[in-house]
Amino acid sequence: MDSPYIEWSPAMELGHATVDRQHKQLFDLAASLVQDADHLRVMRTLATLSEYVVVHFRDEEQLLADIGYPGLEAHKQAHDAFRNRLARLYGNAGGMSLDSIAAEVRQLVNDWLANHILVADREYAAYLPA
Ligand SMILES: [Fe+2]
């Protein structure tokens, strides 16, 4: 389970202050979660992360609507899929070991979040006003 954990890096910046700050916050929350040895606190961080993902996706989708991004619908579907995976994890996490929770969060961040920011989000960055 110890695949290298992808951390936020300036290479992920899109040049939009709010989006970049929110992306970093998502990584920070996930990183603190996988290092935490207290189940109750992990559950609380997972709840915070889930809520923050909802806020971030809502803000990002509003931004994409505002700039008339043509890929908005597909982008929303990608967000929905991630939101659902995270909600499922939160729903199951009460009965999971910390190692299993950390492994799933690691997978969500490495396989989905980092890739989404570096690929899908980068595609809309070209549409942002300079
Ligand atoms: Fe996105």
Side-chain angles (χ1 to χ4, degrees):
M1 62 156 273
D2 273 348
S3 56
Y5 186 73
I6 300 177
E7 293 180 359
W8 186 88
S9 84
M12 293 177 186
E13 283 181 352
L14 303 176
H16 187 281
T18 304
V19 170
D20 288 335
R21 183 171 43 75
Q22 290 182 340
H23 282 162
K24 185 168 188 308
Q25 178 70 8
L26 290 175
F27 274 87
D28 288 350
L29 279 168
S32 77
L33 202 154
V34 298
Q35 289 162 8
D36 201 330
D38 183 281
H39 203 285
L40 198 63
R41 208 163 44 212
V42 164
M43 290 302 292
R44 261 192 255 125
T45 309
L46 206 47
T48 305
L49 178 63
S50 304
E51 285 163 18
Y52 201 73
V53 161
V54 170
V55 169
H56 166 60
F57 285 172
R58 191 196 57 208
D59 287 354
E60 200 179 80
E61 288 166 14
Q62 184 61 55
L63 171 70
L64 299 191
D66 288 348
I67 62 174
Y69 179 57
L72 175 58
E73 276 316 309
H75 204 101
K76 270 187 184 170
Q77 283 173 21
H79 284 174
D80 285 346
F82 183 78
R83 216 168 10 220
N84 291 341
R85 281 178 66 179
L86 195 58
R88 203 173 321 127
L89 172 59
Y90 182 63
N92 294 333
M96 290 167 66
S97 70
L98 285 175
D99 279 353
S100 309
I101 296 171
E104 286 226 17
V105 169
R106 203 177 285 262
Q107 210 186 6
L108 283 173
V109 170
N110 284 3
D111 295 353
W112 196 91
L113 188 62
N115 191 52
H116 179 75
I117 291 173
L118 289 168
V119 180
D121 286 350
R122 192 149 293 281
E123 278 173 22
Y124 78 64
Y127 289 80
L128 293 172

